[in-house]
Structures are given as C-alpha cells and as structure tokens.
Amino acid sequence: MNWRFITAGGLSALLIIGVFYYINSAFIVSEAGATLPNAEDNLKGESEFDKERASQQDDAGVHATNYISEYKTDSTDTSLEVFILDYTTKDIFDRYIFERTSELPHVVKLDYSNHTKTKYTEESAHTAADLFSRYVDYKVALSSVELEVDLSAHSLRDVTFKLDERENIRRRYFTDNEYHYLFSQEAQVDEAALARLSIAQEDTLSKEERKALIVDALKAGNPAERDAFQPTLNMHRINEIKNTYSNINDRFNAVAAEFGTQVAQRFAKTWEERAQWQAKVEAYTRFRDGLMEQGLSPETMSESLAEYKRQHFTANEIKRLKVLTAR
C-alpha cells in the first residue's frame, strides 16, 4: 500500500459505519434516500470534531504554551507566528499531505520545512518541522501494515488487535503530549465504536435489542458522532413514528412536528407507494392461491400467472414479485 493514501485515521471510519452490518443493512438507508456519510466524509470530519471539543481548547492552550514557551522570544519579526501544538494540528498536517499526494515522503517533508521558515519563528519552525517529519514517518510506517478489516468476517478481537497495532505505531513516533493532541480524540471515537461493535456481535440479544442499544449509544455519544449518524438516528425515529401511528394523518402530523412538512410529505408519498405495492402483491397472492385450489395443470397455471403479471406489473416489479412470492 502506498504511503500517500494513508492520509487519515485508519479504522475509525470503518468501525463507525461497520457496526450496523451485524444488525440490519436496511436500518442505515433512508426510505427517502438519506444515507450515512461515507468513510471519507467521516475521516474528514475530524476538523468538525475539533470544533465540538472547543471546551478542551483552553486546556490545549495551556499545554501548548508550555510546549513552545521557550521559543517565544527567539525572533523580533512580529509577522511570524509561534507554532502551537493543539487539537487542530493533525487536521492541518493531513490536509498538507493530502494536497501533495503525488510527492514522495522526503519531498513533502522538505516542502513543509521550507513552509515553516516563512510562517513560524525560527526555533518554533524547527519544532513544527520535526513534528511533521515524524508524522510523515508515522504515515509511512502505517502504510506498511495491513489495518483494513472486513467486519463481516472478523471478530471483535481481530478489530481490537488491529487498533492496538496502530496504537503501538503511534507511540513509537510521538511523546505522550504529542499523542494527546494528535490522536486522543480519535481514540475516544474508536473506543465508542468498539463498544457498539461489541453490542452488534452479542448473539445473546435479539436484532431489535442490539439495534436499540446501538441507537442509545449513539444518542449518548460525543457531538461529532451524533452529527455523523444523524441521518440514521432520524430514520430510526421516523420508523418509530411509523410503527406507533397506524393512521396516515396521525403519522404525517407526528413526522411533520419533528422534521418539518417537506420531510413528512416525502415519507407520506413513500408510504403510500409501499401500501399500493403491498396491495398489488396481496392481490397476486390471492389470484395464485385461487388457481391452485382449482387443481389446474402446472402448464395452465403457469400461463395464467404469467398473463396476470403482464397485465398488472412492470418488468422490474415482476422481478421483485418473484423474490417476495417464491415458495
């Protein structure tokens, strides 16, 4: 695997979207077309996570001040900044690497070193360049091991092993303080995702029980994860409303009250189409059962059913009907 493609946190996004594999794939997709963000979106969401963790930024400032305080008086050029290690550093590094994916590692490191000389004071530029250089080396080391996991075929222990392997690589390249600002937030996301994966693979619980526990965990999770999974949580809530209200008007009003009239109208149309389809399937089933009661020959029955399908269903609907009514 080429190092240039390792520009974001290994298993985090995979874990975030993978837990639902064991529950019900239909749970992830909205009836009206809303889907979960893809893995790349989740990985890019690290910068949004920084915003949500604004309360920690004050603490970051304290530690970062200690980290670079010895370099504050090294230059009289007030146009230069002092490099500060904080929760945004990893996102900045990743973005810098991503914009230079066609370059070799040593070229990217050299580019950044030159960049620091025009941006930061002399001594803090050395600090920034050194940290970035080790970050690139970490990416190269990360690309040399296989961290991808097929959640349909691997156990929780396998996933945990992969995360531990990545953790060990990180610890080799960074101090505790550097690790804190570069990876601690992602580690918290991984921990929460592992907990959900553990629930998803708990075979002593029913599918609905596991789904409910995972939804509860997402609701109680950090703001960044809730934002990433909001379409799924919304779908879960809409399905709850659908199952609660059998009356179409009551269902429409309940959805509109929580999600707005446009969303309610879209789902009302979807539900109406589904009801019409269900009615057509039931009518076909009654017709087929009636033919069977007449004791017709297999050839005659097959011809009658084929004619009925041609009159009442489209080609695509016939394919769906075959699956639904197969015996």
Side-chain angles (χ1 to χ4, degrees):
M1 182 183 298
N2 193 302
W3 83 278
R4 291 171 296 186
F5 298 105
I6 308 297
T7 58
L11 294 174
S12 299
L14 182 65
L15 283 169
I16 288 174
I17 64 175
V19 292
F20 290 102
Y21 179 92
Y22 298 92
I23 304 300
N24 187 346
S25 60
F27 178 61
I28 301 178
V29 183
S30 165
E31 294 176 84
T35 60
L36 281 177
N38 59 33
E40 182 181 358
D41 292 334
N42 284 331
L43 292 169
K44 290 181 179 179
E46 289 173 351
S47 60
E48 295 300 320
F49 190 86
D50 294 328
K51 296 177 183 178
E52 298 293 345
R53 294 294 297 274
S55 62
Q56 296 189 19
Q57 296 291 358
D58 292 337
D59 177 64
V62 173
H63 291 283
T65 299
N66 294 333
Y67 186 71
I68 49 80
S69 59
E70 60 182 294
Y71 306 127
K72 280 194 172 181
T73 60
D74 69 311
S75 174
T76 57
D77 188 347
T78 57
S79 66
L80 297 177
E81 303 174 19
V82 176
F83 172 73
I84 296 177
L85 171 64
D86 59 22
Y87 291 112
T88 68
T89 301
K90 180 179 181 296
D91 188 60
I92 294 171
F93 282 178
D94 280 335
R95 186 161 54 246
Y96 194 90
I97 293 172
F98 182 77
E99 291 171 352
R100 293 159 180 80
T101 55
S102 62
E103 303 292 344
L104 294 173
H106 73 276
V107 175
V108 176
K109 290 195 285 187
L110 180 61
D111 286 347
Y112 186 80
S113 178
N114 292 331
H115 167 70
T116 62
K117 295 174 182 177
T118 62
K119 183 176 178 64
Y120 301 119
T121 56
E122 183 178 354
E123 291 299 329
S124 69
H126 292 321
T127 301
D130 173 67
L131 181 60
F132 180 81
S133 179
R134 284 184 283 122
Y135 189 75
V136 170
D137 291 340
Y138 155 72
K139 291 291 189 182
V140 174
L142 198 65
S143 70
S144 68
V145 297
E146 181 55 58
L147 290 179
E148 295 300 321
V149 175
D150 179 2
L151 289 175
S152 66
H154 288 73
S155 67
L156 178 64
R157 189 173 73 172
D158 293 331
V159 178
T160 303
F161 176 81
K162 293 296 183 181
L163 288 175
D164 288 343
E165 190 174 6
R166 187 187 63 183
E167 177 80 358
N168 291 334
I169 295 174
R170 288 174 172 176
R171 293 294 184 179
R172 290 206 305 266
Y173 286 93
F174 305 102
T175 66
D176 289 345
N177 188 59
E178 291 166 346
Y179 176 94
H180 175 78
Y181 290 109
L182 294 175
F183 304 115
S184 63
Q185 294 177 340
E186 183 180 310
Q188 291 177 5
V189 173
D190 287 342
E191 183 178 351
L194 277 174
R196 293 194 298 272
L197 185 59
S198 178
I199 295 172
Q201 296 188 4
E202 181 52 68
D203 55 11
T204 62
L205 301 175
S206 69
K207 181 186 295 185
E208 290 304 317
E209 288 173 330
R210 283 177 283 165
K211 184 188 297 184
L213 287 173
I214 289 174
V215 169
D216 289 343
L218 287 173
K219 289 179 179 178
N222 65 64
E225 286 191 293
R226 286 201 301 273
D227 288 345
F229 276 99
Q230 199 57 55
T232 299
L233 294 175
N234 290 347
M235 258 320 303
H236 181 73
R237 176 57 186 150
I238 289 174
N239 282 331
E240 285 183 334
I241 293 173
K242 177 184 176 182
N243 294 331
T244 301
Y245 299 97
S246 57
N247 181 276
I248 297 297
N249 290 331
D250 292 341
R251 186 186 298 171
F252 179 93
N253 292 333
V255 173
E258 291 194 35
F259 300 99
T261 302
Q262 288 186 343
V263 173
Q265 290 174 339
R266 189 165 67 247
F267 275 93
K269 180 180 179 181
T270 299
W271 290 330
E272 181 181 359
E273 291 173 349
R274 286 194 170 188
Q276 292 173 351
W277 166 250
Q278 187 62 36
K280 289 176 67 174
V281 172
E282 292 173 355
Y284 168 81
T285 301
R286 289 193 299 270
F287 178 78
R288 182 195 62 188
D289 293 346
L291 292 179
M292 294 178 64
E293 292 175 358
Q294 297 177 31
L296 302 175
S297 67
E299 293 78 8
T300 302
M301 183 170 177
S302 178
E303 291 177 0
S304 298
L305 289 176
E307 180 61 26
Y308 185 95
K309 291 174 184 177
R310 283 193 294 270
Q311 292 180 5
H312 297 87
F313 297 93
T314 66
N316 286 333
E317 287 177 338
I318 290 175
K319 294 178 182 178
R320 293 172 60 192
L321 184 67
K322 183 178 181 181
V323 174
L324 292 173
T325 59
R327 288 187 173 180

